[in-house]
Amino acid sequence: MSDQVLEPEEHVLSTLERDGSRRWMYPRLFKGRFWNRRRIVGYFLIVLFIVLPHLQINSRPAIFLNITRREFTIFGFTFLPTDTLLLAFFMISVFLTIFLLTAMFGRVWCGWACPQTIYLEFVYRPIERLFCGTVGHGGKPRKPVPLIRRVMMYGAYLIISMVLAHTFLAYFVSVSELQHWVRQSPFTHPTGFLVMTATVVLMMFNFSFFREQLCTIACPYGRFQSVLLDRRSLIVSYDPQRGEPRGKISKTDPTPKGDCIDCGQCVQACPTGIDIRDGLQMECLHCTQCMDACDEIMEKVDRPLGLIRYSCQDEIDGKPTKKLRPRVVIYPLLLLLSVSAFTVTLISKKSFDITILRNYGNPYIVTKQDQVENNLQLKLVNRTDQPDEYTIQVLDAPDVKMELIGSPELNARQTKTIPLLISAPRESFVAGLREVELLIQSKNQADERRVTCQILGP
């Protein structure tokens, strides 16, 4: 009878077993230097997330994303639906910043600043370890957790999720409105109540069940690594030149071995369950727990630290590394241009917006007095928090007559479209066109804008 060769255990994904069942993660906790730094950054970002909706800048919330009115207040400045150019420059700057940070520092966002990582590792997992009896060291519970403890744990999850959901909702409805809602019956604001309830349910599902699968399955950022990283990007990497061949420390075995003693602590510390010794992987979050775990073991066996460290693929392979390369030069230049364009556009913004639109129907009519009349629409947007009145006049064209059919008075944040009739002598048109410059002045804000519009003729 021949001996049967057993295949090593494999995982289809780091969070799935070969039979498709869920592989639950209970990462070991190693409180090394990187964990302490990440904890400081994480707690700072948590406090910032909670405090920001309460801060007031220029009598406005620091961040207020009013989706229903399509107004977005960020650090005292309110962006309106008409600010398409600003939005374009802002989004370009965000993407270029992501490209640059990833090219230089790898997935530093995922490991150090992503809300998913921060809340899971520094809020929900500590609660889990408290009720599962693994405080201070983490890992899988050594014995089954009593039902009462599990109920209490999920109760704590629910409370935290409700706090986070209400804080999240404050960014969209303001703190004052949210406080007003909380004091009333849910039936008086059913939409807000349903949104809050759905947010709590999603947070409970994510942080109590889905967890690391959001990063390894749902989040697309890890899949972008192949195009955003290069061989000189900073990554969490294992040094096979030092570590191989792996082997336990033994006084009786004289065979030379590498620094890796194959203890497996780096795997047990990983919150996504991967083995960093297999090289760069999509599931790696750069959380540095494997680095802290390996450094702790290296100290115990009296070997140099940094077997797993921040490095780049070229350095690990022993190839020369250069800090400057095309992408780390091109990205900052493009980012500088985008930020500069955003800043100039923002500074040049007036207290009101104006757009001249052509009305439906005939583009023009010719009267018996040989006057060409154009029926237009003047769209005014008051960007301020105060009501205002505007005056409109034609510049340097005494033969042009203008008539507004409506009052150019606007309330705070109001948008109004006013019919505008412009007439000019027929003989003043050249090739059927004439340019007319309008001056629009704000009474309360002492602001003005000049707009050139084309009127059509025979």
Side-chain angles (χ1 to χ4, degrees):
M1 180 176 173
S2 60
D3 295 334
Q4 184 179 3
V5 179
L6 298 177
E7 295 181 0
E9 183 182 3
E10 296 179 6
H11 300 287
V12 179
L13 293 175
S14 61
T15 55
L16 293 179
E17 305 291 359
R18 292 190 63 183
D19 61 359
S21 61
R22 171 73 180 274
R23 182 187 176 204
W24 287 94
M25 296 295 157
Y26 298 96
R28 288 286 305 274
L29 179 62
F30 290 88
K31 298 182 179 180
R33 50 181 178 147
F34 290 103
W35 186 85
N36 288 322
R37 295 169 186 172
R38 285 178 58 232
R39 182 172 59 171
I40 293 173
V41 173
Y43 287 156
F44 169 76
L45 292 176
I46 290 173
V47 172
L48 185 65
F49 171 73
I50 295 174
V51 169
L52 269 180
H54 299 268
L55 293 180
Q56 296 283 324
I57 300 177
N58 297 331
S59 301
R60 304 174 188 168
I63 296 182
F64 180 31
L65 310 176
N66 193 336
I67 295 178
T68 57
R69 297 183 59 183
R70 295 179 296 171
E71 296 178 359
F72 307 98
T73 302
I74 301 177
F75 299 118
F77 186 86
T78 300
F79 297 89
L80 302 178
T82 54
D83 297 324
T84 51
L85 194 59
L86 281 173
L87 178 61
F89 287 134
F90 176 75
M91 294 306 298
I92 291 173
S93 300
V94 169
F95 283 118
L96 287 174
T97 302
I98 293 174
F99 295 163
L100 177 61
L101 290 178
T102 306
M104 296 181 64
F105 306 112
R107 293 180 68 176
V108 64
W109 162 261
C110 296
W112 291 75
C114 177
Q116 171 72 11
T117 303
I118 289 174
Y119 285 110
L120 181 58
E121 299 301 327
F122 299 113
V123 177
Y124 286 86
R125 284 207 199 277
I127 293 174
E128 179 184 57
R129 291 171 182 142
L130 173 65
F131 288 101
C132 292
T134 58
V135 174
H137 58 82
K140 190 174 183 179
R142 298 177 182 176
K143 56 183 179 179
V145 181
L147 179 61
I148 183 62
R149 285 196 175 190
R150 287 195 173 274
V151 172
M152 294 172 64
M153 179 180 71
Y154 285 109
Y157 286 171
L158 180 60
I159 293 173
I160 296 297
S161 297
M162 291 178 66
V163 172
L164 294 180
H166 280 79
T167 304
F168 178 74
L169 196 60
Y171 282 88
F172 299 92
V173 300
S174 78
V175 173
S176 58
E177 184 69 16
L178 184 62
Q179 291 175 346
H180 184 64
W181 284 5
V182 170
R183 297 188 187 100
Q184 291 181 329
S185 168
F187 296 103
T188 60
H189 47 83
T191 302
F193 179 75
L194 290 175
V195 170
M196 187 275 294
T197 304
T199 306
V200 172
V201 171
L202 288 174
M203 286 190 177
M204 279 291 293
F205 171 76
N206 177 40
F207 289 113
S208 64
F209 176 77
F210 205 54
R211 294 195 161 192
E212 67 283 337
Q213 292 185 124
L214 181 69
C215 305
T216 59
I217 298 176
C219 181
Y221 185 57
R223 290 162 175 79
F224 291 156
Q225 285 189 106
S226 58
V227 293
L228 296 179
L229 295 178
D230 58 33
R231 295 188 60 84
R232 298 171 192 171
S233 300
L234 196 66
I235 60 174
V236 175
S237 53
Y238 164 74
D239 189 352
Q241 308 286 345
R242 270 186 54 189
E244 303 297 327
R246 308 171 197 170
K248 305 293 184 182
I249 298 177
S250 174
K251 295 181 180 179
T252 59
D253 185 1
T255 305
K257 293 183 175 64
D259 285 349
C260 179
I261 63 172
D262 205 16
C263 62
Q265 295 301 302
C266 57
V267 180
Q268 295 185 36
C270 180
T272 59
I274 66 170
D275 190 340
I276 193 64
R277 296 171 295 180
D278 294 336
L280 179 63
Q281 297 159 71
M282 180 195 71
E283 295 86 356
C284 179
L285 304 179
H286 287 206
C287 69
T288 69
Q289 268 291 277
C290 58
M291 294 165 59
D292 285 332
C294 188
D295 284 349
E296 183 175 312
I297 299 300
M298 290 297 103
E299 285 183 351
K300 292 180 179 180
V301 299
D302 196 24
R303 294 185 180 180
L305 306 181
L307 178 59
I308 301 176
R309 63 182 183 271
Y310 272 128
S311 184
C312 67
Q313 289 179 295
D314 276 353
E315 181 182 342
I316 292 297
D317 294 340
K319 298 178 181 180
T321 60
K322 296 180 181 179
K323 299 296 183 183
L324 288 180
R325 51 198 192 275
R327 65 177 62 193
V328 299
V329 175
I330 295 174
Y331 286 157
L333 290 177
L334 294 177
L335 181 60
L336 178 62
L337 290 175
S338 180
V339 171
S340 300
F342 176 85
T343 304
V344 171
T345 306
L346 182 64
I347 292 175
S348 62
K349 273 291 178 184
K350 303 293 184 178
S351 63
F352 63 93
D353 290 331
I354 181 169
T355 307
I356 297 180
L357 306 171
R358 190 160 296 278
N359 213 341
Y360 298 107
N362 294 330
Y364 64 90
I365 60 173
V366 181
T367 66
K368 295 179 179 180
Q369 292 77 25
D370 225 20
Q371 294 286 319
V372 178
E373 294 183 349
N374 277 233
N375 195 0
L376 307 175
Q377 289 184 341
L378 188 71
K379 184 177 181 180
L380 277 171
V381 180
N382 183 4
R383 301 179 62 91
T384 67
D385 295 325
Q386 302 295 328
D388 209 340
E389 184 179 356
Y390 304 89
T391 59
I392 299 98
Q393 58 181 321
V394 180
L395 293 178
D396 303 326
D399 60 334
V400 176
K401 298 179 180 179
M402 183 199 69
E403 180 182 357
L404 283 176
I405 308 174
S407 173
E409 296 182 7
L410 274 72
N411 296 324
R413 302 288 180 198
Q414 185 183 4
T415 299
K416 181 184 286 189
T417 300
I418 306 171
L420 172 65
L421 187 65
I422 296 181
S423 62
R426 180 171 184 170
E427 62 271 11
S428 64
F429 288 82
V430 179
L433 292 175
R434 179 174 179 180
E435 289 190 347
V436 176
E437 188 175 19
L438 302 180
L439 175 65
I440 300 92
Q441 294 177 306
S442 164
K443 181 179 180 181
N444 295 338
Q445 300 295 326
D447 209 353
E448 67 177 34
R449 291 189 63 177
R450 297 188 178 210
V451 177
T452 301
C453 69
Q454 285 187 340
I455 56 176
L456 305 178

Coordinates of all heavy atoms in Angstrom, one line a residue, residues 6 17 35 42 79 82 84 100 130 133 155 173 202 234 270 278 281 284 288 304 317 331-332 361 387 426 442 444:
L6 N -0.3 14.1 1.7 CA -1.2 15.1 2.1 C -0.9 16.4 1.5 O 0.3 16.8 1.6 CB -1.4 15.1 3.6 CG -1.8 13.8 4.3 CD1 -1.8 14.0 5.8 CD2 -3.2 13.4 3.8
E17 N -11.9 29.4 3.4 CA -11.3 28.1 3.4 C -11.5 27.5 2.1 O -12.2 28.0 1.2 CB -11.9 27.3 4.5 CG -11.9 27.9 5.9 CD -10.5 27.9 6.5 OE1 -9.5 27.5 5.9 OE2 -10.4 28.4 7.7
W35 N 2.6 50.1 16.1 CA 1.3 50.0 16.6 C 1.0 51.2 17.4 O -0.1 51.8 17.4 CB 1.1 48.7 17.4 CG -0.4 48.5 17.8 CD1 -1.4 48.0 17.1 CD2 -0.9 48.9 19.1 NE1 -2.5 48.0 17.9 CE2 -2.3 48.5 19.1 CE3 -0.4 49.5 20.2 CZ2 -3.1 48.8 20.2 CZ3 -1.2 49.8 21.3 CH2 -2.6 49.4 21.3
G42 N -4.8 57.1 14.8 CA -6.2 56.6 14.8 C -7.1 57.4 15.8 O -8.2 57.8 15.4
F79 N -19.8 75.5 -1.5 CA -19.8 75.2 -2.9 C -21.2 74.9 -3.4 O -22.0 74.2 -2.7 CB -19.0 73.9 -3.2 CG -17.5 74.1 -2.8 CD1 -17.0 73.8 -1.6 CD2 -16.6 74.6 -3.8 CE1 -15.7 74.0 -1.2 CE2 -15.3 74.8 -3.5 CZ -14.8 74.5 -2.2
T82 N -23.4 75.2 -9.2 CA -22.8 76.0 -10.3 C -21.3 75.9 -10.3 O -20.7 76.4 -11.3 CB -23.3 77.4 -10.4 OG1 -23.0 78.0 -9.1 CG2 -24.8 77.5 -10.6
T84 N -19.0 73.9 -11.0 CA -18.5 72.7 -11.6 C -17.0 72.7 -11.9 O -16.3 71.7 -11.8 CB -19.2 72.5 -13.0 OG1 -19.1 73.7 -13.7 CG2 -20.7 72.2 -12.8
L100 N 0.1 60.1 -6.0 CA 1.4 60.4 -5.5 C 1.7 59.7 -4.2 O 2.8 59.1 -4.1 CB 1.4 61.9 -5.3 CG 2.7 62.5 -4.7 CD1 3.9 62.2 -5.6 CD2 2.7 64.0 -4.4
L130 N -12.1 42.4 24.8 CA -12.6 42.6 26.2 C -13.6 41.5 26.6 O -13.5 40.8 27.6 CB -13.2 43.9 26.4 CG -13.9 44.2 27.7 CD1 -12.8 44.2 28.9 CD2 -14.6 45.6 27.7
G133 N -12.1 37.7 26.3 CA -11.1 37.3 27.3 C -9.7 37.3 26.6 O -8.8 36.5 27.1
G155 N -24.2 44.3 22.0 CA -24.8 45.5 22.6 C -23.9 46.7 22.6 O -24.3 47.8 22.2
V173 N -27.0 66.8 7.8 CA -28.2 67.6 8.2 C -27.9 68.6 9.3 O -28.8 69.4 9.7 CB -29.3 66.6 8.8 CG1 -29.7 65.6 7.8 CG2 -28.8 65.9 10.1
L202 N -25.9 49.0 8.6 CA -24.7 48.8 7.8 C -23.4 48.8 8.6 O -22.6 48.0 8.3 CB -24.6 49.9 6.7 CG -25.7 49.8 5.5 CD1 -25.6 51.0 4.6 CD2 -25.5 48.5 4.7
L234 N 7.3 52.5 -1.4 CA 7.5 52.0 -0.1 C 6.4 51.0 0.3 O 5.2 51.3 0.2 CB 7.5 53.2 0.9 CG 8.1 52.9 2.3 CD1 9.5 52.6 2.2 CD2 7.8 54.1 3.3
C270 N -1.6 39.3 11.3 CA -2.2 39.9 10.1 C -3.7 40.0 10.2 O -4.3 38.9 10.3 CB -1.7 39.2 8.8 SG -2.4 40.0 7.4
D278 N 5.2 35.7 1.5 CA 4.9 35.4 0.1 C 5.0 36.5 -0.9 O 4.7 36.4 -2.1 CB 3.5 34.8 0.0 CG 3.3 33.5 0.7 OD1 4.3 32.8 0.9 OD2 2.2 33.1 1.1
Q281 N 1.1 41.5 -1.8 CA -0.2 40.9 -2.0 C -1.3 42.0 -2.0 O -1.2 42.9 -1.2 CB -0.5 39.8 -1.1 CG 0.5 38.6 -1.1 CD 0.4 37.8 0.1 OE1 -0.5 37.1 0.4 NE2 1.5 37.8 0.9
C284 N -2.7 43.0 1.5 CA -1.9 43.6 2.5 C -2.4 45.1 2.7 O -2.5 45.9 1.8 CB -0.4 43.6 2.1 SG 0.7 44.5 3.3
T288 N 1.3 47.2 9.4 CA 2.6 47.1 10.1 C 2.6 46.1 11.3 O 3.5 46.1 12.1 CB 3.2 48.5 10.6 OG1 2.3 49.0 11.7 CG2 3.2 49.4 9.5
P304 N 19.1 40.8 14.4 CA 18.8 42.2 14.0 C 17.3 42.4 13.7 O 16.6 41.5 13.1 CB 19.7 42.5 12.8 CG 20.7 41.4 12.9 CD 20.1 40.2 13.6
D317 N 15.5 43.2 -3.5 CA 16.2 42.4 -4.5 C 17.6 42.8 -4.6 O 18.3 42.2 -5.5 CB 15.5 42.5 -5.8 CG 14.1 41.9 -5.8 OD1 13.8 41.1 -4.9 OD2 13.3 42.2 -6.7
Y331 N 3.6 63.6 -11.0 CA 2.5 63.8 -10.1 C 2.5 65.1 -9.3 O 1.5 65.8 -9.3 CB 2.4 62.6 -9.2 CG 1.9 61.3 -9.8 CD1 2.2 60.1 -9.3 CD2 1.2 61.3 -11.0 CE1 1.8 58.9 -9.9 CE2 0.7 60.1 -11.6 CZ 1.1 58.9 -11.0 OH 0.6 57.7 -11.6
P332 N 3.6 65.4 -8.7 CA 3.6 66.7 -7.9 C 3.4 67.9 -8.8 O 2.7 68.9 -8.4 CB 5.0 66.7 -7.2 CG 5.4 65.3 -7.2 CD 4.8 64.7 -8.4
G361 N -38.1 79.7 -28.5 CA -38.8 80.4 -29.6 C -37.9 81.0 -30.5 O -36.7 80.6 -30.7
P387 N -29.9 88.4 2.3 CA -30.6 88.8 1.1 C -29.9 89.9 0.4 O -29.1 90.7 1.0 CB -32.0 89.2 1.6 CG -31.8 89.5 3.0 CD -30.7 88.6 3.5
R426 N -31.1 97.7 -36.0 CA -30.8 96.6 -37.0 C -29.5 96.9 -37.7 O -28.7 95.9 -37.9 CB -31.9 96.6 -38.1 CG -31.8 95.5 -39.1 CD -33.0 95.4 -40.0 NE -32.9 94.4 -40.9 CZ -33.9 93.9 -41.7 NH1 -35.1 94.5 -41.6 NH2 -33.7 92.9 -42.5
S442 N -23.8 94.2 -7.0 CA -24.5 93.7 -5.7 C -24.6 94.9 -4.8 O -23.6 95.6 -4.6 CB -23.7 92.6 -5.1 OG -24.1 92.4 -3.8
N444 N -25.6 95.0 -1.4 CA -25.1 94.8 0.0 C -23.7 94.4 0.1 O -22.9 94.7 1.0 CB -26.0 93.8 0.7 CG -27.4 94.2 0.8 OD1 -27.7 95.4 0.8 ND2 -28.4 93.3 1.0

